[in-house]
């Protein structure tokens, strides 16, 4: 699918020099877009802008006027600078002030909740606010919507992911910020604390059965908005040994990471030493998602998705989301599946969906 108009789409990509930001910029150019690259450092932006033949602007997130000024004449922002729990709100406010759409690639629960708190403002300003347009959470959100649509009246939803890849520095730093909050599930429509390591189980994925453990994935917010199902648990595949060990070690880890100095030191180590998957792994890695919806009368519907490697998927899905938003008349805060439907994930090259046997 080509971009929606013959004029190359122009929009702002903030955090363009980060690991995922670079991939998004490259995919945008490949699809005929001309994003303006943005971030704090002019020195870091210049080589990327030169290589891709794009404009760039250096502005910090603490410069509210500068952000609004950078958005003048641009209809949309893709925000790719994390940890989003610290960076999202300034950009959301700039977008509301400038009348620009806001998209980000977060997987952080507080950010999703905050985005939806601005729904009325977004409608008043005539813009879309949408968090999670990458691997966090497009595949899971779309599969949740798919099984929910096939089982009206479902009251329970389980989602599980299995990833063959490795995390970037940005993803790892975001995880460090979220760990002190602990685990969560959704029960009766409300987020509830859940001990890390509790609820380990087996799930059949497309290729094999895997051990999974509950984790506080963004779908605890997005799937609630996309499906209305009140009881949601999100899982990640993990070795049985690690999953069971976390039940005993996580309380100590959580107390350590609650100390700002410890978390800051670890974040600096991550920034210096974590690079994310190389091109070969982005080409060969993959992810799988499983979802099951259950109704009170015992009926069940389950399905799987297989996607390209998570960061490769994020670059593609982000640019596709940009195209969909720019071509639509939607206004307000949305999840990807709310705005684009359960089949949006299938519009990404290399994604396939399979129904579980009835």
């Amino acid at each position: 699918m080509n971009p929606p108009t013959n004029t190359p789409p122009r929009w702002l990509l903030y955090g363009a020099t980060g690991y995922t930001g670079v991939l998004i910029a490259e995919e945008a150019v490949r699809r005929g877009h001309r994003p303006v690259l943005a971030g704090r450092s002019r020195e870091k932006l210049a080589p990327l802008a030169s290589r891709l033949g794009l404009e760039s602007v250096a502005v910090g997130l603490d410069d509210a006027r500068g952000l609004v000024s950078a958005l003048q004449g641009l209809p949309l922002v893709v925000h790719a600078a994390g940890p989003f729990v610290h960076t999202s709100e300034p950009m959301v406010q700039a977008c509301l002030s400038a009348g620009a759409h806001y998209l980000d690639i977060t997987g952080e629960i507080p950010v999703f909740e905050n985005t939806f708190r601005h729904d009325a403002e977004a409608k008043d300003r005539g813009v879309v606010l949408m968090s999670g347009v990458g691997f966090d959470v497009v595949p899971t959100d779309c599969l949740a919507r798919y099984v929910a649509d096939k089982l009206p009246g479902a009251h329970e939803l389980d989602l599980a992911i299995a990833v063959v890849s490795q995390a970037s520095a940005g993803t790892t730093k975001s995880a460090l910020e979220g760990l002190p909050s602990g685990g969560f599930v959704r029960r009766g429509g409300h987020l509830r604390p859940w001990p890390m390591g509790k609820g380990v189980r087996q799930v059949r994925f497309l290729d094999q059965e895997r051990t999974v453990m509950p984790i506080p994935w963004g779908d605890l917010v997005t799937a609630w908005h996309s499906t209305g199902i009140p009881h949601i648990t999100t899982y990640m595949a993990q070795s049985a040994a690690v999953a069971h060990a976390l039940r005993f070690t996580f309380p100590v880890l959580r107390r350590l990471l609650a100390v700002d100095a410890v978390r800051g030191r670890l974040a600096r180590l991550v920034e210096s030493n974590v690079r994310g998957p190389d091109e070969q792994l982005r080409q060969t890695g993959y992810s799988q998602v499983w979802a099951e919806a259950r109704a009170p009368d015992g009926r069940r519907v389950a399905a799987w998705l297989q996607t390209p490697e998570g960061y490769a998927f994020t670059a593609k899905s982000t640019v596709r989301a940009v195209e969909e938003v720019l071509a639509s008349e939607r206004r307000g805060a949305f999840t990807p599946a709310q705005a684009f439907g359960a089949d949006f994930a299938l519009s990404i090259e290399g994604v396939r969906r399979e129904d579980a046997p009835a």
Side-chain angles (χ1 to χ4, degrees):
M1 182 180 294
N2 293 322
T5 69
N6 292 325
T7 302
R10 293 181 72 251
W11 38 275
L12 193 79
L13 172 58
Y14 194 91
T17 61
Y19 178 86
T20 311
V22 171
L23 298 179
I24 294 170
E26 292 172 341
E27 175 66 12
V29 170
R30 187 184 75 82
R31 289 184 64 82
H33 295 236
R34 305 296 296 171
V36 177
L37 308 182
R40 292 177 299 173
S41 171
R42 192 176 308 278
E43 291 72 22
K44 290 182 179 180
L45 288 165
L48 180 63
S50 176
R51 176 166 70 85
L52 297 178
L54 299 173
E55 301 173 53
S56 66
V57 56
V59 59
L61 290 168
D62 57 351
D63 182 359
R65 289 185 178 180
L67 288 174
V68 173
S69 177
L71 288 171
Q72 294 305 308
L74 298 175
L76 180 147
V77 170
V78 168
H79 186 55
F84 297 88
V85 70
H86 300 307
T87 68
S88 173
E89 179 64 10
M91 187 59 81
V92 167
Q93 290 298 330
C95 287
L96 290 171
S97 295
H101 304 301
Y102 169 91
L103 282 64
D104 71 36
I105 56 171
T106 192
E108 301 163 44
I109 287 173
V111 178
F112 288 111
E113 292 186 308
N114 184 63
T115 298
F116 279 102
R117 277 194 287 270
H118 292 294
D119 177 56
E121 296 170 79
K123 289 174 179 174
D124 288 344
R125 295 294 296 161
V127 301
V128 167
L129 304 180
M130 186 181 300
S131 290
V133 298
F135 187 81
D136 300 350
V137 294
V138 166
T140 42
D141 191 42
C142 288
L143 197 61
R145 178 69 178 267
Y146 177 72
V147 296
D149 286 348
K150 295 190 72 172
L151 189 64
H155 76 309
E156 293 182 329
L157 173 67
D158 288 347
L159 295 162
I161 58 172
V163 176
V164 178
S165 186
Q166 63 191 51
S168 71
T171 300
T172 305
K173 288 190 294 183
S174 290
L176 288 174
E177 289 295 323
L179 282 172
S181 297
F184 291 92
V185 295
R186 187 171 287 274
R187 296 291 182 265
H190 301 284
L191 289 176
R192 304 295 188 194
W194 186 264
M196 293 292 285
K198 179 182 177 182
V200 175
R201 57 175 290 192
Q202 299 296 117
V203 164
R204 166 59 63 178
F205 287 86
L206 281 167
D207 57 351
Q208 65 185 67
E209 190 172 80
R210 302 172 188 263
T211 300
V212 300
M213 59 174 284
I215 61 163
W217 197 249
D219 290 273
L220 293 175
V221 178
T222 56
W224 164 241
H225 285 276
S226 297
T227 71
I229 295 176
H231 306 297
I232 303 172
T233 307
T234 53
Y235 298 85
M236 176 175 279
Q238 187 56 268
S239 72
V242 169
H244 288 292
L246 268 176
R247 188 162 189 176
F248 303 100
T249 60
F250 185 76
V252 176
L253 178 63
R254 183 180 181 182
R255 285 195 295 271
L256 285 173
L257 289 175
V259 179
D260 289 345
V262 173
R263 206 166 58 253
R265 173 62 175 164
L266 287 173
R268 289 189 291 273
L269 288 173
V270 166
E271 189 68 34
S272 301
N273 295 285
V274 177
R275 293 290 175 264
D278 60 19
E279 184 174 359
Q280 180 179 0
L281 184 51
R282 291 198 304 272
Q283 293 295 323
T284 60
Y286 63 92
S287 300
Q288 292 187 14
V289 180
W290 167 84
E292 182 180 74
R294 296 183 293 277
D297 61 5
R299 290 175 299 133
R300 298 169 179 246
V301 171
W304 297 277
L305 270 182
Q306 180 157 312
T307 81
E309 187 276 333
Y311 293 97
F313 177 93
T314 293
K316 295 177 183 295
S317 66
T318 298
V319 179
R320 283 286 295 111
V322 168
E323 294 170 358
E324 289 286 344
V325 169
L326 292 180
S328 79
E329 298 297 324
R330 299 179 188 91
R331 300 296 180 259
F334 298 91
T335 73
Q338 271 184 316
F340 311 141
D343 290 345
F344 175 65
L346 300 182
S347 72
I348 311 303
E349 182 182 359
V351 175
R352 69 183 178 96
R353 186 175 64 206
E354 185 173 323
D355 291 327

